[in-house]
Amino acid sequence: MAKSYKELMNTIDTFIFDIDGVLTDGTVHVSPTGEMLREMHIRDGFAMKAALESGYNVCIISGGSNEGVRIRLRNLGITNIHMASSDKVATFKEYIELYQIKAENVLYMGDDIPDFHVMQLVGLPTCPQDAAPEIKAISTYISHVNGGKGAVRDVIEQVMKVQGKWHLYYNGKFD
């Protein structure tokens, strides 16, 4: 019998996220100078920072490249940012080998065809509500939230709650 996504969340120690369509809503605003601007949800950033501070690995693997996005992610404390990746599977394998991470302990959130093959290699493939049908079909968990609107927060918070770490992160910070 297959494990439920909640059971699989017990073993997650690494989060890997795509950018466009996951950390953003996939919309690109083009400025008059040709710069491509993206919007990111502040709660996704909070959750990624919480995960890092709680000892999880957080990695970004994206086919796109945008210096503003890279700066935002670095400011959150994320150091494993792989942009302009033409082969996400190779990038994923190099990352887990370098840090000796077990693929079954990885949660990957993707939204479209370039994420398909790497999602088949991880322990917990997930996607936003508005992901492509092919990605939804292979996802063990589909967030109730769209990409760029808090889907990353959704999965991080759920993992941390299942592992009893969410309340430890914020406990006492808001008294």
Side-chain angles (χ1 to χ4, degrees), residues 138-159:
I138 63 166
S139 292
T140 303
Y141 175 74
I142 300 170
S143 177
H144 64 283
V145 184
N146 286 346
K149 304 297 182 191
V152 168
R153 163 71 176 259
D154 174 36
V155 294
I156 291 175
E157 184 176 336
Q158 284 198 57
V159 168

Side-chain angles (χ1 to χ4, degrees), residues 45 47 55 65 74 85 97 99 104 140-141 149 152 171-172:
S65 183
R74 280 191 182 144
S85 175
E97 184 177 319
Y99 293 99
E104 60 264 25
T140 303
Y141 175 74
K149 304 297 182 191
V152 168
N171 193 25

Side-chain angles (χ1 to χ4, degrees), residues 28-37:
V28 176
H29 302 278
V30 182
S31 76
T33 61
E35 184 180 7
M36 293 188 281
L37 305 172

Side-chain angles (χ1 to χ4, degrees), residues 14-127:
T14 302
F15 296 99
I16 300 178
F17 301 107
D18 179 30
I19 294 175
D20 292 322
V22 173
L23 283 165
T24 76
D25 67 4
T27 302
V28 176
H29 302 278
V30 182
S31 76
T33 61
E35 184 180 7
M36 293 188 281
L37 305 172
R38 292 158 173 88
E39 293 181 12
M40 300 176 86
H41 202 290
I42 200 77
R43 289 188 197 134
D44 288 342
F46 174 83
M48 289 187 292
K49 189 172 174 87
L52 286 166
E53 290 177 0
S54 298
Y56 294 91
N57 304 304
V58 178
C59 176
I60 305 299
I61 301 177
S62 177
S65 183
N66 180 283
E67 195 55 31
V69 171
R70 183 185 307 276
I71 291 168
R72 164 78 174 138
L73 295 169
R74 280 191 182 144
N75 287 341
L76 293 172
I78 300 169
T79 57
N80 289 293
I81 304 168
H82 306 274
M83 297 177 105
S85 175
S86 59
D87 185 345
K88 289 186 176 190
V89 169
T91 303
F92 168 75
K93 287 180 177 180
E94 289 169 14
Y95 172 72
I96 65 170
E97 184 177 319
L98 178 65
Y99 293 99
Q100 298 179 338
I101 296 166
K102 294 180 181 177
E104 60 264 25
N105 296 339
V106 174
L107 178 151
Y108 185 102
M109 181 173 266
D111 73 303
D112 209 348
I113 302 304
D115 302 303
F116 187 89
H117 293 296
V118 70
M119 288 178 70
Q120 293 181 308
L121 301 175
V122 303
L124 185 51
T126 66
C127 69

